[in-house]
Amino acid sequence: MAVNYSALLNDRQLEAVESPAQYVRIIAGAGSGKTRVLTYRIAYLIEQRHVDPGRILAIAFTNKVAQEMLGRAKKLVEDLGEMTNSLKIMTFHSLAARFLRIEAAAIGYPRGFTIYDEDDQSRLVKVIAEEKGYRKGDSIVKEALSYIRRKKGQGLYPQDIKGSKDLYERQKLLLSFYEAYEKKKGDMFALDFDDLLLQCLYILENDPEIRERWASRFDHILVDEFQDTNDVQFRLLKLLLTPLTSVYVVGDPDQTIYTWRGANQKLILDFEKSFGDVETVILNENYRSTKNILQAANQLIKHNQKRVPKDLFTNGATGEVVKTYNAPNSEREAEWVCREIKTLVAKSQRENGEPDYSDIAILYRSSYLTRPFEQAMARSGIPYRIFGGLRFYERMEVKDLLAYFSLLVNPKNNIAFERIVNVPRRGIGDTTLAKIREESGAHGLSEYEYLERYAEFAGDSKIPSKAVAALMAMVAKVEATKERLEKKEEAYPSILRDFVTSLDYMDYLKDDEEEDEDRVGNVNALLDDIMDYLKKNPESTFDEYLQNVTLLTSQDDMNNGNYVSLMTVHVAKGLEFDNVFVVCLNDGSFPSKRALEETERDGAEEERRLAYVAFTRAKKRLYLSCNRSYSYATDSHAVPSPYFKEAGLKVEEEGAFRGLYGFNKTYGGTGRSFFSDGGHIDPFTEKSQPVEEKKEAPKTNGIEAWHVGDIAHHETFGDGKVVELISKDIIVIDFDNGGRKTLMANHPRLSRLKSKGGDA
């Protein structure tokens, strides 16, 4: 049965789906049916324009969205059956990984190369740091990682930087880390996330035959969340085009929130400059949020200049007013949030008989803000889960087994080998591992390859015989498993389960002093996940499973459990909840002071877009809160975010203030000053007006400036020497008892015994 597009779409959506133009830009406001339009466009191309599904490539922002879109599109045209199996919907990184599995020989790599995630990158840089005489915990590790990722985001490899004559000594040091990183990674046939795109670009730009072969595969390329596309991804897109390829992009400039990661908002704003004759369709009817929520979001985002003007509207309900709250401190703010959650859950229980937490989300600008909310929910018995923190595939036992599995595919992966060389325990310490590194390097082999061929070199080896015996047993198990995989006589999930059993890994977890049943459960969940992947992808190979796991994002392991979801606004992008709490809306926190200082990234507009994204995640109710906690960093009390005023909202000081100060004031929408702590403060500036009485600020030690070399005394830690000034507010002290502490410089329990220049 044919899809009735005119009955299922509004006029603007239908116009977008049926556009005959070669180049189409859809400006899709929050909740306007963006994914729906993209999915129906794919179905329309297949069903009405008779495009071969295999000649359609759709790019989604996450693997989760890609899978959802693929399922919906196939369901719409299910009458076509097996024909739709060739339809491709994936992320840019998945596309690049698939490309490289086929074309890896063009860069001298095998098809079974390894993809390094951020944890693998960090481990490799730590190895390099130790080789250069640093410690794994030294700041140079984090600095080098940041440098490498930044340069790759700019499309620059070491050879592109090396010729510059204007490098400072520190830059030369960081470049040397980058060179060593690329050398070691290449020796192990590994690629990091950035490499997937950059190496794909390199091949397409330098091999016309390969480029022509791939560009001729697709007649239609569609890109979701185009506002978050970066320059490297856009270059890749253009290399896959022929003069006849149709390009269809969907996005919202008001939701560009990844410029810090390279997203280029100009690509969607100036789409005509890239493609000439472009049809633009604006979707501005919102199907998600109430009128009150949209009014606040619209008023807020109007303060941005770099946007395509549009006002979201809805034909839905007016809804409840946006609720605001200002607490005297972060703990009271968290308590207010918990009270409101309990009210919502009590209502759901009355209506449905069961308490429902699943449609409640708490959003925040930065992860460090969660502590008081976690504590308050734990005390209140409210179930919650944090997303964007430690994901399933990042947990220790899961990473351990994925490292073992990686060695089955790529024996050159030293990072994987060093992770599991003593897991389960085999008596392999740092000294033995250093000998393995040295001896394998001398023979030009990876560490695992060296052990695999150890009989050839045993006469000259200095590795202890006990360690050799343990390692040879491990190698035998790996090789036996590889042999079974290569025969392809059994389903690989079954082989891997046997492999894990042969390693005694489950017993190792059960014997671990820190063992809990969750860790054992995570191993079983991983094995079940492998089996589930095979069921859904029966023709898949084991290395394809490993690739899929590596490319997963924070949203991909979300499920619909009965808990409150906590996440940063960045993680919440693309999600929606009935009830949304946006917390810690304080000037300096949201908008972020650091982001505002980065003027070259248009920080002010990006922060406002981030708030707009947060507001528009809410379907029925939106709660906005802030607090007035004292900050040592700013030496002042926090004040409400300017976003309250910009959104036309008032900030209510409710019951928490009445009991403390004997009044209950309203402020915000009019910009009127308010009274708190006996003072007269404008909530939208940081300037305090003269007051007759002022609450005494927290006590400090009165020391205005520390110096490296100062001798200090702490009432708990004893005497020590200042060894580093992180900032004027934070210092690092080596105490005589051997401990190193990072402390607030003005902490009242800290005093100076002797300054660098003499007695204190």
Side-chain angles (χ1 to χ4, degrees), residues 114 183 295 331 341 375 694:
T114 298
K183 174 68 168 61
Q295 182 181 1
E331 286 73 21
I341 289 174
Q375 291 177 340
K694 185 178 180 181

Side-chain angles (χ1 to χ4, degrees), residues 390-606:
L390 193 62
R391 300 186 292 110
F392 174 76
Y393 296 104
E394 294 171 344
R395 294 168 189 167
M396 184 199 78
E397 54 278 6
V398 175
K399 290 284 288 184
D400 285 347
L401 292 184
L402 289 177
Y404 269 113
F405 296 166
S406 177
L407 283 177
L408 295 170
V409 175
N410 181 6
K412 291 186 177 295
N413 190 349
N414 286 345
I415 296 300
F417 174 80
E418 291 193 8
R419 180 181 183 95
I420 53 81
V421 67
N422 201 40
V423 179
R425 299 178 185 91
R426 301 184 178 92
I428 312 298
D430 290 343
T431 302
T432 300
L433 184 56
K435 287 188 173 75
I436 295 172
R437 278 190 202 141
E438 180 183 351
E439 293 178 15
S440 62
H443 292 282
L445 297 170
S446 73
E447 292 158 21
Y448 180 85
E449 288 173 327
Y450 177 69
L451 292 173
E452 188 185 2
R453 296 171 52 184
Y454 186 74
E456 301 174 32
F457 316 113
D460 298 322
S461 176
K462 296 182 180 178
I463 302 173
S465 57
K466 186 176 180 181
V468 169
L471 290 168
M472 290 301 100
M474 180 199 76
V475 168
K477 292 171 184 175
V478 172
E479 291 304 306
T481 303
K482 284 169 66 174
E483 186 176 343
R484 289 177 67 187
L485 286 169
E486 288 167 1
K487 288 181 178 178
K488 298 182 180 179
E489 295 174 351
E490 309 165 75
Y492 62 80
S494 176
I495 298 173
L496 297 176
R497 185 177 289 276
D498 290 345
F499 180 44
V500 173
T501 302
S502 74
L503 293 169
D504 297 324
Y505 190 82
M506 301 294 261
D507 292 337
Y508 157 72
L509 287 182
K510 292 173 183 176
D511 291 341
D512 194 325
E513 293 178 359
E514 299 180 6
E515 183 272 332
D516 60 56
E517 59 183 354
D518 282 347
R519 293 178 62 186
V520 175
N522 285 335
V523 172
N524 287 321
L526 175 64
L527 295 169
D528 290 342
D529 182 64
I530 296 170
M531 180 62 75
D532 186 59
Y533 182 81
L534 181 62
K535 288 177 182 176
K536 293 178 180 177
N537 306 274
E539 302 301 319
S540 71
T541 61
F542 176 49
D543 56 345
E544 286 173 347
Y545 169 78
L546 289 178
Q547 170 189 309
N548 182 67
V549 168
T550 308
L551 295 176
L552 291 174
T553 66
S554 299
Q555 287 189 11
D556 290 319
D557 55 328
M558 288 186 177
N559 55 51
N560 297 318
N562 191 19
Y563 45 71
V564 175
S565 298
L566 279 73
M567 65 191 78
T568 66
V569 183
H570 284 101
V571 173
K573 178 78 184 324
L575 303 178
E576 58 182 35
F577 300 87
D578 281 352
N579 312 287
V580 171
F581 293 81
V582 185
V583 299
C584 301
L585 269 167
N586 290 102
D587 200 6
S589 294
F590 200 176
S592 161
K593 179 181 178 183
R594 179 178 176 182
L596 294 180
E597 289 172 348
E598 296 173 344
T599 54
E600 71 276 12
R601 297 180 183 172
D602 297 315
E605 294 216 350
E606 176 112 350

